[in-house]
């Protein structure tokens, strides 16, 4: 097949322009939030693990949009199951991160677990596959969990932000506070026995703490949910940080041992 040189040059110029604009991946039509009207409610990997309510109360919203000004708190309280919450989030259009992400990254693991792990936000691989912590830092997270006999069958994993920030930047305070009610409802629905905040952004978002993660990691605190349920929470170092600073792994190991001891306490 012969190519016209001018067409080729034109295509190269378009590609170069997209690269300069920060485009890193092509979005498949079926995952494109810009022109898609209907959303696919469950990705394959999560469908088996999520509890499907008998009557999903939000199914009627599949093609409606929910913006920043919708009355969240009441709507969120009406989300009684994870599939209600996921549908609600799929229909939420108040966060600009959704526009640049490929898809919502809701959760992975077992929602009946005692342990709920909360990271920061999806990266490129998570955005592509729709699964939290499935890239390089996820592989290290899995190894860390395995070292204390935990894995995705006995932990539940989500992030404070469900859409990948462009270029993997850190989510800003507005984005975090906008999405926090969704996270808190997520925690309420799962009602785990303990929470692990992975990295400074997650620790700050949940615990409203000042200062870096190195100051707060390893200390058990409590969050109190509406209705009074108290859940112990520990924060630890993010695996992405540990990949850059492997000499800090000993601190993360201390935190993992502390999680293991806490789980032992529950057995007594
Ligand atoms: N980092 C996170 O905090 N979460 C992910 O899901 C992936 C990388």
């Amino acid at each position: 097949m012969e190519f016209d040189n001018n067409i080729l040059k034109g295509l190269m110029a378009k590609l170069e322009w997209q690269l300069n604009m920060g485009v890193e991946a092509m979005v498949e039509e079926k995952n494109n939030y810009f022109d898609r009207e209907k959303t696919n409610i469950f990705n394959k990997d999560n469908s088996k693990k999520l509890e499907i309510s008998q009557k999903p109360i939000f199914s009627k919203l599949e093609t409606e949009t929910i913006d920043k000004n919708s009355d969240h708190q009441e709507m969120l309280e009406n989300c009684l199951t994870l599939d209600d919450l996921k549908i609600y989030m799929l229909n939420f259009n108040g966060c600009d991160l959704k526009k640049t992400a490929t898809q919502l990254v809701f959760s992975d693991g077992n929602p009946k677990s005692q342990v709920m792990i909360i990271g920061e936000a999806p990266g490129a691989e998570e955005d592509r596959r729709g699964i939290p912590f499935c890239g390089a830092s996820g592989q290290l997270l899995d190894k860390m969990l395995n070292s204390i006999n935990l894995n995705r069958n006995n932990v539940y994993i989500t992030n404070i932000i469900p859409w990948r920030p462009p270029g993997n930047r850190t989510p800003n305070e507005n984005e975090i506070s906008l999405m926090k009610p969704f996270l808190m409802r997520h925690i309420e629905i799962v009602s785990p026995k303990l929470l692990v905040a992975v990295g400074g952004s997650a620790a700050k978002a949940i615990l409203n703490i000042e200062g870096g993660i190195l100051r707060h990691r390893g200390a058990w605190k409590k969050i109190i949910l509406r209705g009074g349920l108290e859940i112990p929470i520990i924060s630890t170092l993010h695996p992405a940080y540990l990949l850059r600073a492997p000499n800090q792994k000993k601190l993360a190991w201390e935190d993992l041992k502390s999680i293991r001891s806490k789980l032992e306490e529950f057995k007594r």
Side-chain angles (χ1 to χ4, degrees):
M1 188 174 166
E2 272 185 34
F3 280 110
D4 179 320
N5 244 353
N6 286 334
I7 294 180
L8 208 55
K9 269 188 199 158
L11 286 173
M12 291 302 286
K14 274 190 191 151
L15 199 60
E16 199 180 332
W17 179 79
Q18 287 180 334
L19 286 171
N20 289 338
M21 293 297 289
V23 173
E24 294 171 342
M26 302 302 284
V27 178
E28 274 183 72
E29 197 59 29
K30 68 177 166 53
N31 288 332
N32 189 347
Y33 273 105
F34 293 102
D35 40 8
R36 179 178 52 180
E37 296 213 312
K38 282 198 171 186
T39 48
N40 210 356
I41 296 171
F42 295 108
N43 67 46
K44 277 190 197 131
D45 298 275
N46 278 352
S47 58
K48 286 184 257 98
K49 293 169 189 163
L50 292 173
E51 277 183 34
I52 311 296
S53 64
Q54 292 304 303
K55 289 183 202 147
I57 51 176
F58 286 117
S59 57
K60 65 182 188 305
L61 291 174
E62 252 177 81
T63 55
E64 283 178 24
T65 59
I66 301 159
D67 65 23
K68 226 184 240 175
N69 304 317
S70 308
D71 181 2
H72 285 318
Q73 207 46 56
E74 202 186 322
M75 298 290 272
L76 282 171
E77 277 166 33
N78 283 334
C79 293
L80 301 179
T81 62
L82 291 172
D83 49 325
D84 289 337
L85 181 65
K86 185 168 182 178
I87 293 166
Y88 187 52
M89 289 171 77
L90 281 167
N91 286 286
F92 178 65
N93 288 323
C95 180
D96 284 345
L97 293 176
K98 179 176 180 177
K99 294 184 189 153
T100 48
T102 307
Q103 58 185 314
L104 177 89
V105 178
F106 186 70
S107 70
D108 194 27
N110 182 351
K112 296 208 164 87
S113 311
Q114 296 191 319
V115 182
M116 181 166 179
I117 308 236
I118 300 173
E120 181 180 296
E125 188 63 9
E126 289 79 16
D127 178 62
R128 201 176 63 75
R129 293 177 56 198
I131 304 169
F133 282 106
C134 63
S137 55
Q139 282 164 19
L140 179 55
L141 179 67
D142 284 340
K143 282 188 193 155
M144 291 162 71
L145 295 172
N146 291 167
S147 72
I148 53 165
N149 291 327
L150 295 177
N151 57 56
R152 291 182 193 230
N153 293 319
N154 57 15
V155 301
Y156 182 72
I157 305 179
T158 191
N159 283 305
I160 54 169
I161 299 286
W163 296 286
R164 180 195 182 205
N168 290 352
R169 67 163 170 75
T170 308
N172 64 39
E173 276 179 24
N174 287 343
E175 291 155 352
I176 293 173
S177 62
L178 179 66
M179 296 314 295
K180 188 166 171 180
F182 295 81
L183 174 67
M184 297 316 287
R185 188 68 190 139
H186 206 151
I187 297 172
E188 283 171 1
I189 295 171
V190 176
S191 289
K193 281 247 177 123
L194 68 86
L195 284 163
V196 182
V198 170
S201 296
K204 277 188 194 163
I206 303 167
L207 293 166
N208 302 317
I209 46 177
E210 296 289 327
I213 183 71
L214 286 165
R215 203 164 109 198
H216 296 283
R217 55 142 285 276
W220 284 101
K221 302 190 176 161
K222 272 183 188 155
I223 61 161
I224 304 174
L225 299 179
R226 285 171 320 124
L229 181 66
E230 289 189 2
I231 306 187
I233 173 165
I234 188 169
S235 29
T236 190
L237 303 175
H238 197 288
Y241 169 72
L242 294 174
L243 287 171
R244 295 192 304 272
N247 58 338
Q248 300 285 52
K249 282 185 183 167
K250 53 187 178 301
L251 296 178
W253 175 234
E254 292 305 317
D255 305 340
L256 288 163
K257 284 192 294 186
S258 184
I259 295 167
R260 187 172 61 187
S261 305
K262 193 62 130 193
L263 288 170
E264 289 296 322
E265 270 175 36
F266 294 147
K267 288 190 197 153
R268 283 186 216 131

